[in-house]
Amino acid sequence: MPAPGRTGRDGGLRLGFETREGRTVLVARRFTLPLQALEPIDLEGDGTATLLLLNPTGGLLAGDRLDIDISLGAGSRVCLSTPSATRVYRSGGPLAVQRVRIEIGRGARLEWHPDHLIPSPGARLRQAAEITLAPDATLLYLDAWAAGRLARGESWGFDLLDSRLLVRDEAGLLIRERSVIGGSPPRDGLGGTEGFGYVATILAIRPDRAGWGDLTGALHDDLVGAAPGCRAGVTALARGGVLARLLCPSAPSLETGVQALWTRLRRELLGLPALNLRKL
């Protein structure tokens, strides 16, 4: 609970996974509202544990401090998502803060696939993700957000979206990036989103894999074919991975573009078909 007189809630979520008899099992789960995790499901029938992460309060509010810690043991296979987009509400005072820390063990693989953020007018959010993985572990990571509730004419009404990402292995840094964006419309020029209302970053990393340059062109072609209304830049990291950035005009086009790239990455890196989370 927060200190008396303090705005917001302190939420925590701790998840631990291990492999037993060829299947991934959830061996540790502890949460404090407004964070929660549902029971794991093996949707694919291949031993992957799929969980939905929830915020039953409806979104992130002013002063919330949310901490998520996730550990994947050797050989475990996990997919984490959310049931819907996450709202970030107006803050007249303290900002909302969310921190994610993930450790991915040897031979393990994680698909981090949440729905996008929707910041309301006046919203202020600082989020940070720090991920450490073994040399033969695999990470597929998605971070997506909207410029606001566009259908209500609320684009670029939020006050702050501060997002940081750090990924490393035992050899050192793989990627570090940070974006700090204020609303201040319009955002259609240099450093903005060129008039697009939806932005996504997709990151695929496996430190011991080579040949990432060959994958960049295939990812770009997949997006052009599946979601021609989107724009994208795809680049190989200095080592161990590839990064794609998408600009999309609508939520359906965002979903289509992300699905196209995710399908290619699942096939190339995990040997699996397209992801079907069966959300209605």
Side-chain angles (χ1 to χ4, degrees), residues 120-133:
S120 299
R124 302 173 67 216
L125 171 66
R126 177 174 294 141
Q127 62 177 5
E130 184 173 336
I131 304 171
T132 304
L133 67 165

Side-chain angles (χ1 to χ4, degrees), residues 17-27 42 45-48 74-77:
F17 299 89
E18 293 180 2
T19 300
R20 296 179 181 174
E21 299 181 354
R23 302 180 67 84
T24 299
V25 295
L26 178 63
V27 296
D42 185 357
D46 64 351
T48 299
S76 55
R77 296 171 287 183

Side-chain angles (χ1 to χ4, degrees), residues 219-237:
L219 288 169
H220 190 273
D221 292 343
D222 287 345
L223 182 71
V224 171
C230 297
R231 295 182 185 176
V234 186
T235 185
L237 302 181

Side-chain angles (χ1 to χ4, degrees), residues 1-271:
M1 293 292 292
R6 205 205 87 195
T7 302
R9 297 286 299 270
D10 292 334
L13 175 63
R14 309 288 184 269
L15 299 175
F17 299 89
E18 293 180 2
T19 300
R20 296 179 181 174
E21 299 181 354
R23 302 180 67 84
T24 299
V25 295
L26 178 63
V27 296
R29 175 175 54 181
R30 177 174 294 181
F31 57 82
T32 303
L33 294 176
L35 290 175
Q36 188 176 1
L38 296 183
E39 293 294 326
I41 303 173
D42 185 357
L43 286 177
E44 306 289 343
D46 64 351
T48 299
T50 300
L51 280 79
L52 294 182
L53 309 183
L54 308 181
N55 186 329
T57 62
L60 294 161
L61 290 91
D64 282 354
R65 299 174 184 170
L66 307 183
D67 285 283
I68 300 173
D69 284 281
I70 300 166
S71 175
L72 276 66
S76 55
R77 296 171 287 183
V78 178
C79 177
L80 299 175
S81 186
T82 57
S84 61
T86 298
R87 292 284 305 277
V88 186
Y89 291 97
R90 181 189 305 273
S91 172
L95 47 73
V97 177
Q98 178 169 277
R99 302 182 184 90
V100 179
R101 289 174 290 271
I102 302 173
E103 293 191 7
I104 308 175
R106 292 194 172 274
R109 67 191 194 206
L110 171 65
E111 297 179 76
W112 179 264
H113 196 288
D115 285 90
H116 59 279
L117 290 171
I118 305 177
S120 299
R124 302 173 67 216
L125 171 66
R126 177 174 294 141
Q127 62 177 5
E130 184 173 336
I131 304 171
T132 304
L133 67 165
D136 59 348
T138 304
L139 169 68
L140 301 185
Y141 179 90
L142 170 65
D143 178 31
W145 52 275
R149 293 189 298 179
L150 306 187
R152 296 177 61 91
E154 295 177 353
S155 60
W156 299 107
F158 61 89
D159 287 348
L160 177 67
L161 181 57
D162 181 349
S163 183
R164 291 178 288 173
L165 172 65
L166 185 150
V167 184
R168 60 191 171 197
D169 67 356
E170 60 188 25
L173 189 67
L174 289 158
I175 183 172
R176 182 201 301 269
E177 68 168 11
R178 182 180 184 183
S179 61
V180 182
I181 305 171
S184 304
R187 282 280 178 174
D188 54 4
L190 182 66
T193 60
E194 302 180 29
F196 291 84
Y198 295 82
V199 180
T201 296
I202 295 177
L203 177 67
I205 289 183
R206 178 169 168 159
D208 67 354
R209 184 185 189 275
W212 291 98
D214 297 337
L215 188 55
T216 58
L219 288 169
H220 190 273
D221 292 343
D222 287 345
L223 182 71
V224 171
C230 297
R231 295 182 185 176
V234 186
T235 185
L237 302 181
R239 68 179 180 93
V242 64
L243 175 73
R245 199 92 69 191
L246 281 66
L247 299 177
C248 299
S250 66
S253 66
L254 172 70
E255 181 178 356
T256 299
V258 168
Q259 182 69 7
L261 300 192
W262 211 268
T263 297
R264 167 72 67 170
L265 292 170
R266 284 191 115 227
R267 184 168 64 247
E268 297 287 342
L269 301 182
L270 307 181

